[in-house]
Amino acid sequence: SHEDGLPPAECGVRKFQRPPVKAASFLNPFFWFAGGFQFLLRYMFSRRPMDLVVSVPGFGGMLATVFVLYAYTPTEAELVENCRNRIKVLGSDQQYDRAVWYSKLWQSLQPSEPIAYVAESDLLKLQGKPQQARAVLEQLFSVTQYEPALVRICRDDLVLATAGTLSQQAEKDLSDRLAWLGDRLVKDPEVQFLVGTYHMGHGDFTAARLCFQNSGETKSEYQVGAYRSQAICELRLGMGAASRSTASFGADICLQQLAAFDARPESLKTCCELLVISFRESEAVQLLEQRCLDPPGDQARCRH
């Protein structure tokens, strides 16, 4: 009787039953990774060729997953180009918040690319946040010494200085920064124009004339304005003949631009001023009469 003794030992071992594989598992990349390595490890311990053969589909699925990820994952250059395009599109649609987000994404992709930070600054300025925009440029220049960032800062400060709303310390900083930029970028037309405008506003027509002369030597959007300002400086210095020659040369360039592509009222006004300084008043009158006889849109520009 077994009532007084121990129960007999149960013989046999319970076999582990693998749960059935779901059909959705075959679409999961991790299933193929796990399956491939599982069969590979089994072959390494058993050395049975069949285990290696069974692992082939798993490795095939794993390699297919790697290939798909490699083929469809964008490169850094593609991501940066997408950021640039999105900034342009969103900026033109005045969706500045989203455009700023893409500029920050660009910065995370290329932390050493200064254009990404300049784009953020421009977008913040368009949002009506000039202090934040300036802070981005100040930080960029302090870290990288990126000169165009300082040029933008000086351009904004020069507008305030011309309006008389810049503090004394800020104007001193502006003077030091313009002097530093002027010595480093002697052939940069914008920098020389800004430095010349600052000297001209403070009555130093000799220094201003030299800066405007340097700016006018390079073809740029500042060239005509540089010739106009140079001619005015030469008038203030009593250099009548040089002033007429400078103004005449600038007027010829401006007339070519007006005939080719420039239809801004400011350009028409500048051209007439240059023609008057160079004693070519008849051409200025003829230009105004011609613009007033043009279609209604040009007549409105003429009145301005």
Side-chain angles (χ1 to χ4, degrees), residues 229-261:
S229 298
Q230 180 184 344
I232 294 175
C233 289
E234 290 169 345
L235 278 178
R236 298 293 180 88
L237 294 171
M239 305 168 61
S243 175
R244 289 193 296 272
S245 176
T246 301
S248 180
F249 191 76
D252 291 337
I253 297 176
C254 194
L255 286 171
Q256 295 176 4
Q257 295 178 355
L258 288 174
F261 60 88

Side-chain angles (χ1 to χ4, degrees), residues 5-223:
L6 295 175
E10 294 183 2
C11 298
V13 178
R14 294 175 58 187
K15 294 184 178 180
F16 176 76
Q17 294 182 353
R18 184 189 301 273
V21 180
K22 297 180 181 180
S25 298
F26 292 98
L27 302 177
N28 189 348
F30 294 101
F31 170 79
W32 296 104
F33 277 90
F37 280 110
Q38 179 184 4
F39 286 112
L40 180 62
L41 290 174
R42 183 178 297 178
Y43 168 74
M44 290 175 63
F45 284 103
S46 66
R47 298 298 180 178
R48 293 186 303 177
M50 182 54 64
D51 290 332
L52 181 61
V53 173
V54 174
S55 67
V56 171
F59 277 102
M62 182 176 63
L63 293 176
T65 303
V66 172
F67 174 77
V68 170
L69 292 175
Y70 177 79
Y72 290 96
T73 300
T75 63
E76 179 182 299
E78 292 173 340
L79 289 173
V80 169
E81 186 64 24
N82 180 62
C83 289
R84 295 169 65 100
N85 293 334
R86 294 300 297 167
I87 289 172
K88 292 179 182 178
V89 173
L90 294 172
S92 61
D93 294 340
Q94 298 184 358
Q95 300 182 34
Y96 301 125
D97 289 334
R98 295 181 60 191
V100 167
W101 185 88
Y102 277 101
S103 70
K104 292 185 178 296
L105 176 60
W106 184 2
Q107 295 169 23
S108 66
L109 294 170
Q110 295 181 326
S112 60
E113 177 54 63
I115 303 299
Y117 299 89
V118 173
E120 180 187 2
S121 176
D122 290 343
L123 291 169
L124 289 171
K125 186 182 294 185
L126 292 173
Q127 278 186 291
K129 302 177 180 178
Q131 297 300 326
Q132 296 183 26
R134 182 189 179 94
V136 173
L137 293 177
E138 291 279 7
Q139 179 67 19
L140 174 61
F141 179 73
S142 64
V143 174
T144 64
Q145 296 294 299
Y146 183 62
E147 294 165 347
L150 187 60
V151 173
R152 290 169 177 264
I153 294 172
C154 291
R155 185 197 306 159
D156 294 338
D157 285 349
L158 186 59
V159 174
L160 298 177
T162 304
T165 58
L166 200 63
S167 65
Q168 185 175 359
Q169 180 59 42
E171 185 163 349
K172 181 179 182 304
D173 293 340
L174 173 62
S175 177
D176 295 340
R177 286 175 164 181
L178 285 175
W180 184 79
L181 286 171
D183 292 338
R184 290 176 62 89
L185 304 176
V186 180
K187 297 300 181 180
D188 187 286
E190 181 180 8
V191 170
Q192 294 300 314
F193 185 83
L194 294 177
V195 177
T197 302
Y198 180 81
H199 287 314
M200 187 176 179
H202 287 74
D204 190 352
F205 298 108
T206 302
R209 174 179 177 268
L210 179 60
C211 293
F212 290 130
Q213 188 174 3
N214 293 335
S215 178
E217 290 176 353
T218 304
K219 185 177 181 180
S220 68
E221 59 180 307
Y222 300 94
Q223 188 177 31

